[in-house]
Structures are given as C-alpha cells and as structure tokens.
Amino acid sequence: MLIIGHRDVRHVLEGQEDAVLALVGDTYRLHEAGRTAVPHSVFLRFPDSPRDRIIGLPAYAGGEQPAAGMKWIASFPGNVARGKERASAAILLNSMEDGGPRACVEASVISARRTAASAALAAVQLVTEPEPYGIALVGCGPINREVLRFVKAALPSIREVVVFDLDADRAADFAARAGEGHPDLRFVLTESAQDALGAHQLVSLATTAGEPHMDLSACAPGATVLHVSLRDLTVDAILGAQNVVDDADHVCRERTSLHLAEQATGGREFIDASIGELLSGESGFRRDPERVAVFSPFGLGVLDIALSQWVYDACEREEFGVRVEGFLP
C-alpha cells in the first residue's frame, strides 16, 4: 500500500494545469461515451449537525489506463470560523488486476483542482466574449482560488478579478494572497454579490449556501455562471438560463438548485446539454448570446479517480509517498 500525503500530491500537481485540464476533458469524453461507471454518491448526514456531511464517491474510469476507487470527502462548514479548511478528503485506489487496495491518497488538492478544471473547461465552451477580460468570484475559499488558477490557464486574456464574500476580511485576504500568485491580475473588492454578478460576463459561485438565495437579474446578457456550489441559484434563475451539467442524473439530487427546478417543473427539459457532449462535439446546443448560461457540476467521482491515478503514477515514477508493508493479509 502506498500512502501519498498532501505535500507529495501538491508537489506532483505543481504547474500541471494544462495536463489536468486535458485529463479532466478526456475523462468527461469517456463518461459521455459510456466508458465509466459512476454510481450515485452516498451522503452520510448527522441528525444533530445538518450542515455537516461526509460523501462517498465510488467510480471507475475506462480507457487506456483504467482506474477504480472511492473518494471519501467531509464537508464541515463550521471549520472556516475555526481557522480550518471546510473540506477534507482521502481517495482509495484499487488495483484493476486483482481489486486489492493499492494506494491511499490525500485528496483535498485533487478534489479542488478537478473541480476547478471542470469549471474552466465549461467557461471555455460557454463564454460569449472572444477574449474575456475579467471574472467575478463569489465566495473566497479554496475552491474559487483554484477556479481562478485554472480559468487563467484556460483563458489567458483574463486581467481583472472581482471578489465578494460575506466576510469582508476574508475577501480582502483572498485578494491579497491570490495577487501574490497572479501579479499580472488586478483584484477589485465589491460590497455585494449583486455587484459581483454584474461586474464581468464570467462569474464563479463557490459558497457554502445550503438553500437558494440568489437570482441572476444583475448579470449582463450572455454572462456565463459557473455554479460550482450548486445551491446558490433560485429555481426561477435556473429556469431562465441555458443550463449545462456534468451529469443530469447526479446533479438533480440532494436538493441542488437543479433538483428543486426538476421538482417544480416535473422534468429536466430546462437542462440543455452536458459538458461531455460539448467537449465531444456531439451536442446540438447553441449558445444564445442574449441569455445567461449556467454550468452546474455535481462533481463526478470519476474525475477524482482519474486524477488520483495520474498522481499515483507520478509518485511511483519519482518514488514519492510512504510504502506500508504488511497492510494486506
């Protein structure tokens, strides 16, 4: 059993944005072609702590280098106020030869970067500006930090970043830290989410909201909203937009904004396409430059498995990680 800790994961992923974008795109194409197995996620909830949850995501990715395993990710929003990360995660990879566990991988960076790469790929497909100048980030946590990293890699024309968080100090700290990593970008703090929505035609929502609280009336025509946190937008906002998802069966669950829209309408006709269809060129989807487009990714476990397998292979080559002998009988 190879144990791959946070430091080694971060090391092998450093500067690999283009490779991660390509891997996530390829995995979406495999999923669209039916060459993955992605059962529904399992949610472990706690009767006395309704905001907290732990999610299990089993998955299999086919292709030239098949991989299978399970991500176990905890989300405890109260951690933020205690100075800790909201989410923590580990991935167990299984051998495709005999099924035995082969690696345990610390997965917070993997989870954040596959999410961000997914959002960046959708941005490339959905933006209506030939060279987007700016992006607005609502929610100043680690997910939007990674979204900025990958959107900048995928859309190098970005020059300005507008940020908003309910905690103004957190927003200011986010801008200062992100500015150190992106000295070519201009950061602007705004006082409301609505101001952020109207600042640029590309917006990323990554909050800890548990219920819809936001409409899209402040967005400009043709805006693209990366609805990463899944529960920010009202049903009317979803129904008024062009909607792209990663997988309709997965995203219409667990009281996401799209799940509520499905319950309200009795169907999923408001979903226009999947990101896999767009990347494979197999969709009849046409971007309407007068309407807002919303990308809502549930976060497929197969992305985690594919990226953790990539990390595992790199660690094997470079002899990173800690090998535990005698783990199996």
Side-chain angles (χ1 to χ4, degrees), residues 54-304:
I54 306 178
I55 311 172
L57 295 87
Y60 162 76
E64 295 181 1
Q65 293 184 306
M70 173 91 162
K71 181 172 80 166
W72 188 240
I73 180 167
S75 175
F76 280 55
N79 283 352
V80 175
R82 294 189 288 268
K84 298 180 179 180
E85 296 290 346
R86 174 186 61 84
S88 59
I91 291 173
L92 185 68
L93 285 177
N94 292 81
S95 167
M96 291 305 301
E97 295 178 1
D98 61 16
R102 67 191 311 182
C104 181
V105 187
E106 197 284 323
S108 61
V109 177
I110 288 173
S111 185
R113 295 197 180 181
R114 65 81 155 152
T115 300
S118 168
L121 289 171
V124 171
Q125 294 292 317
L126 297 174
V127 291
T128 55
E129 299 172 291
E131 295 186 338
Y133 174 74
I135 183 172
L137 306 176
V138 177
C140 294
I143 296 299
N144 258 346
R145 184 167 63 242
E146 296 296 342
V147 167
L148 176 59
R149 179 199 306 274
F150 280 88
V151 166
K152 186 67 171 66
L155 295 170
S157 62
I158 296 291
R159 288 292 178 268
E160 182 175 276
V161 183
V162 172
V163 298
F164 171 76
D165 194 279
L166 290 174
D167 184 334
D169 291 338
R170 193 165 188 243
D173 182 67
F174 178 96
R177 290 175 180 269
E180 294 175 359
H182 301 278
D184 58 328
L185 298 180
R186 176 175 180 259
F187 287 82
V188 180
L189 301 177
T190 188
E191 295 183 354
S192 74
Q194 294 301 306
D195 288 344
L197 289 178
H200 289 294
Q201 287 201 323
L202 180 57
V203 180
S204 176
L205 307 178
T207 77
T208 58
E211 296 290 337
H213 61 98
M214 181 184 296
D215 63 34
L216 297 175
S217 59
C219 290
T224 296
V225 177
L226 308 173
H227 186 209
V228 177
S229 38
L230 288 179
R231 294 171 178 84
D232 291 288
L233 299 181
T234 64
V235 168
D236 286 344
I238 292 293
L239 297 181
Q242 291 186 289
N243 288 284
V244 175
V245 301
D246 52 1
D247 186 296
D249 286 336
H250 285 261
V251 80
C252 290
R253 298 180 67 225
E254 296 293 331
R255 294 187 60 79
T256 65
S257 295
L258 283 85
H259 186 198
L260 298 178
E262 179 187 33
Q263 292 177 330
T265 62
R268 299 176 181 173
E269 290 77 11
F270 58 89
I271 297 177
D272 296 280
S274 72
I275 183 66
E277 288 175 328
L278 298 187
L279 292 170
S280 300
E282 297 175 355
S283 170
F285 176 79
R286 292 294 180 269
R287 183 72 170 91
D288 185 341
E290 298 301 315
R291 295 178 66 192
V292 175
V294 175
F295 175 57
S296 299
F298 191 72
L300 300 179
V302 69
L303 303 180
D304 299 287

